[in-house]
């Protein structure tokens, strides 16, 4: 069966510090991968998605970036965090057949 | 453009009462439809999905949803809720044969009171 991991689970970072969140998927190959952000009391905002290694599509202009160095690894990064980057970050994977997505447990990021 | 509207941001109900969470979608082409549940500080879990075929879809935890093409709706129902159903519920759609992306509604917070 497929499993998706995210780490860390929680993170408190000062404004201006760098960020690296990691997501890995097990039990499948060539998945579509997604990064979402969920701000307090709000819905899900798609940040990036990837249909293959090195292929990244950005949905929202911001100071975040994403990379996919391996087939089942998706990384969300920032060089300098802003207060507005605080939120709950969710990684998801989907089969290449374009159906449902499966979500990881999330990372709670607080920028102070 | 595709969009999903969840008509109620909060729904309070008493335990063992029935509940309906409403979802309407807008798309110029056929769509796949999904309901997800999110418990506090957790990721989203797929409850059920409509891809094709029977318009009544049954999911996990006793939930079901009905696809209504003429009303462009996909409402989620449960005949008798439990305290443990307290969570946020998200409706989502995906264009058939189109983008790999899901379009989510803003969510409905279901609170089940004793």
């Amino acid at each position: 069966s497929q499993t998706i991991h995210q780490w860390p689970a929680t993170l408190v970072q000062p404004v201006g510090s760098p960020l690296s969140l990691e997501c890995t998927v097990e039990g499948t190959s060539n998945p579509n991968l997604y990064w979402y952000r969920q701000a307090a009391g709000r819905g899900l905002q798609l940040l990036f998605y990837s249909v293959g290694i090195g292929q990244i599509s950005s949905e929202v202009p911001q100071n975040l970036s994403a990379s996919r160095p391996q087939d089942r690894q998706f990384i969300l990064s920032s060089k300098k965090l802003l207060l507005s980057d605080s939120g709950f970050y969710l990684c998801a994977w989907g089969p290449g057949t374009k159906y449902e997505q499966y979500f990881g447990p999330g990372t709670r990021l607080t920028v102070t | 453009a595709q969009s999903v509207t969840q008509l109620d941001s909060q729904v309070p109900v008493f335990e063992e009462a029935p509940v309906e969470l409403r979802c309407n979608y807008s798309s110029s082409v056929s769509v796949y439809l999904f309901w997800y549940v999110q418990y506090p500080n957790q990721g989203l879990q797929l409850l059920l999905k409509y891809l094709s075929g029977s318009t009544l879809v049954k999911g996990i935890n006793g939930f079901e949803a009905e696809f209504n093409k003429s009303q462009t709706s996909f409402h989620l129902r449960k005949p008798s809720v439990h305290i443990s159903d307290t969570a946020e519920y998200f409706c989502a759609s995906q264009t058939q044969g189109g983008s790999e992306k899901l379009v989510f509604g803003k969510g409905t917070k279901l609170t089940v009171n004793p």
Side-chain angles (χ1 to χ4, degrees):
Chain A
S1 64
Q2 300 84 14
T3 310
I4 180 169
H5 303 280
Q6 283 186 249
W7 63 90
T10 60
L11 191 59
V12 180
Q13 292 283 92
V15 168
S17 64
L19 172 74
S20 181
L21 303 181
E22 190 165 342
C23 170
T24 59
V25 181
E26 296 176 355
T28 187
S29 60
N30 196 30
N32 294 335
L33 296 172
Y34 306 83
W35 277 113
Y36 291 87
R37 177 168 59 202
Q38 191 175 28
R42 300 178 64 179
L44 283 84
Q45 179 186 35
L46 178 63
L47 302 175
F48 301 94
Y49 71 97
S50 171
V51 298
I53 295 174
Q55 301 179 62
I56 309 293
S57 296
S58 174
E59 290 296 297
V60 182
Q62 62 222 320
N63 69 321
L64 298 172
S65 63
S67 62
R68 184 171 177 172
Q70 300 180 43
D71 182 44
R72 291 169 290 175
Q73 184 185 29
F74 206 23
I75 297 172
L76 183 69
S77 304
S78 173
K79 292 182 179 178
K80 290 185 177 182
L81 284 169
L82 306 172
L83 284 174
S84 58
D85 291 324
S86 292
F88 193 48
Y89 287 81
L90 291 160
C91 181
W93 76 273
T97 48
K98 304 181 184 180
Y99 292 163
E100 63 268 27
Q101 294 175 18
Y102 299 94
F103 286 78
T107 294
R108 175 77 58 193
L109 171 66
T110 304
V111 182
T112 60
Chain B
Q2 196 182 165
S3 67
V4 174
T5 302
Q6 292 184 240
L7 298 161
D8 305 293
S9 60
Q10 297 186 54
V11 173
V13 294
F14 288 109
E15 193 174 16
E16 297 183 6
V19 70
E20 178 179 83
L21 305 184
R22 297 181 294 168
C23 171
N24 285 94
Y25 68 93
S26 174
S27 175
S28 57
V29 298
S30 296
V31 295
Y32 302 124
L33 295 162
F34 309 88
W35 274 101
Y36 286 85
V37 60
Q38 185 180 32
Y39 301 102
N41 294 311
Q42 294 186 27
L44 277 69
Q45 180 182 8
L46 181 65
L47 270 180
L48 49 78
K49 60 187 176 185
Y50 172 77
L51 303 180
S52 65
S54 173
T55 57
L56 183 62
V57 180
K58 293 189 182 299
I60 62 172
N61 301 341
F63 283 93
E64 63 181 32
E66 186 159 17
F67 171 61
N68 188 318
K69 188 174 182 179
S70 63
Q71 297 186 11
T72 61
S73 67
F74 190 55
H75 300 334
L76 181 70
R77 302 185 182 100
K78 186 170 183 178
S80 175
V81 295
H82 304 291
I83 298 288
S84 58
D85 292 322
T86 294
E88 187 142 26
Y89 293 78
F90 292 93
C91 182
S93 71
Q94 183 182 63
T95 303
Q96 290 187 23
S99 166
E100 297 83 2
K101 298 181 288 185
L102 287 177
V103 175
F104 283 88
K106 294 188 181 300
T108 297
K109 179 72 171 72
L110 173 66
T111 302
V112 182
N113 298 301

